[in-house]
Every structure is written in C-alpha cells, then in structure tokens.
Amino acid sequence: MRTPVPVLLYHAVTDDPPPWIAEFTVTPRAFEAQLDAVVASGRTAVPLSVLASHLAGRGGLPPRPVVLTFDDGFADLPGRTAEALASRGLPATAYLTTGALTPGRACLLPPAPMMALAQAPLLEQYGMEVGAHTVTHPQLDTLAPRALRRELCEAKATLEDVLGHRVAHLAYPHGYNSRAVRRAALDAGYASAVAVRHALSSESDEPYRIARLILRRSHTVADVERWMEGHGARTAPFPDSPATAGWRMYRRARALVRGPGFAG
C-alpha cells in the first residue's frame, strides 16, 4: 500500500498578482490559514531533500511527512512568506528561476515582482532549501538536447555560485518532463526533480518526477485538510495518461514552428 505524502506547490503569495499568475496565487490571509491547517494536521514538514533521500533509499521519513515547495521566486518569498513559514517552524523548498531574478537576463516568464538572486542566501537563513527551476522557464520536454542541458546546468551553476554550495534539486517548469528530460536532470547532477501531476506523492514515488499538488486561488482550507488526511487526489506513482502523452506531442510540434515557449 502506498502511503500518501502531500507535496504542496505554491507560487506567489500576494493580494495583487499580475493577471498571468493570478490563478496560481493565494492571498497572505489564505496562505496563513493553510499553513495553520498543515500544523493542525500533525504532519511533520520536511524539505524536499528528505523525501528525495528516502526515495533514493538513503534515509527515512517521519511517520506523517508533508513538503512545502515554492516555484519561481516571487518578491514575497524572502519576506512575509518566509516569515510565516519560520514562525510556525515549517521548513520548505524554493525553486528559483535564475533568469527571472537577474536584471537584463532573458526569461520567458511574463513580468512580475520578483526577488533578487542575491536574496537566495536569505531564504536559507529562514530555513528554506533552495533548488533550481531552470534559467528561462521553458517547456523542457520540447527543447533540443543542447538547450535542455544549458537550462539545467546554467541554473544549477548560478545558484551554486550565489549560495556557495551544491544545489541538488530541480523543479520542471509547469511540471513538463519526459524520459529524456529526467535522464538529463540526472546527468546534470540533480538528486531529484519535482513535477506537478496534481497528485499526492508517496513513499514509493519516482525521484525524478515527484508528484505535487498545485495551490490555486480557488483552493480552501478544507482542500488542504483533505490532502493532509491523504485524500482528495490520486497517489503517485502512476504512468502518464494518453492525454498527457498527446499534449506533449502537440507542444513539441508547436515548438518546432514557434520556438521555445513559456511553460505556463
């Protein structure tokens, strides 16, 4: 029997998000209520590296773990969001899109208030683990091999230079991946990679496409409570559906005509 492990995916936490990310934004008030629900559930929050080590057979998990993750690196992250986590003793993992945090650097993400790359060490001071989320936020499963390697390796090297230590964990933009992308993540030196999958992870999930549950503005505390109980979504691992495979083929064909696209 697979034991469900909720891995939550947040983006911006703000009352006033840009329209393009509004669907995946929660307000500070909702965020704090959701964190309180996590604490009340009795689950033990761990950084993604703890789950990844377990999946690789190198360590155990607490009896009822939960993982909190944050993608992209929006401006709220090293401030009120990190403070809300720290005040509740909740570790988390932040996956940063390096191009979006570097002025003048090309990036596919639309404009939004973002943190600065130099603030990455501050996240660690708050008890957050830092991982990579590529340079430009492309659909990785549509890229040619050289471009794929560049996205994975350059983001990793940039963060390692800022933090002064190895960066071992990756998040695929919008969760898009394939067998070739997962192999490239391994070859680039990542110890794990998270997808989306809109599912609970588990103690037997796949280390290079760990399932996450994406938080939308429509989600309520009751949704979070159900996930903490191990309900409300299917449990990974499971194979890609025919619809997922078909959508990947369509996006690849579109990328051949239009070039790399924003993974959104």
Side-chain angles (χ1 to χ4, degrees), residues 59-126:
L61 287 171
R64 300 183 69 242
V66 59
V67 183
L68 305 172
T69 69
F70 297 80
D71 280 9
D72 298 324
F74 290 93
D76 62 90
L77 188 57
R80 182 172 179 175
T81 297
E83 291 167 0
L85 292 162
S87 68
R88 293 164 174 80
L90 296 172
T93 300
Y95 295 101
L96 304 183
T97 305
T98 58
L101 312 188
T102 306
R105 184 68 168 85
C107 186
L108 296 170
L109 281 177
M114 306 299 288
M115 62 178 278
L117 187 61
Q119 291 178 296
L122 178 59
L123 297 180
E124 294 189 330
Q125 293 176 27
Y126 275 112

Side-chain angles (χ1 to χ4, degrees), residues 7-14 18 20-21 24-26 31 48 67-78 81 85 92-101 107 109-110 112-115 123 128-138 140 159 169-177 192-198 210-215 262-264:
V7 182
L8 305 187
L9 163 55
Y10 286 96
H11 288 87
V13 179
T14 178
W20 69 269
I21 195 64
F24 303 109
T25 297
V26 298
F31 179 62
L48 193 285
V67 183
L68 305 172
T69 69
F70 297 80
D71 280 9
D72 298 324
F74 290 93
D76 62 90
L77 188 57
T81 297
L85 292 162
T93 300
Y95 295 101
L96 304 183
T97 305
T98 58
L101 312 188
C107 186
L109 281 177
M114 306 299 288
M115 62 178 278
L123 297 180
M128 301 185 76
E129 176 178 70
V130 175
H133 197 38
T134 73
V135 179
T136 70
H137 207 279
L140 292 178
L159 289 170
H169 305 286
L170 170 71
Y172 305 122
H174 207 69
Y176 291 143
N177 69 95
S192 79
V194 291
V196 179
R197 314 211 81 189
H198 307 291
I210 296 169
R212 294 190 291 174
L213 293 156
I214 190 167
L215 269 295
F262 162 55

Side-chain angles (χ1 to χ4, degrees), residues 98 132 152-163 165 167 190:
T98 58
L152 299 181
C153 295
E154 183 180 326
K156 188 174 191 295
T158 297
L159 289 170
E160 289 175 343
D161 185 59
V162 171
L163 296 169
H165 60 73
V167 171
Y190 291 101

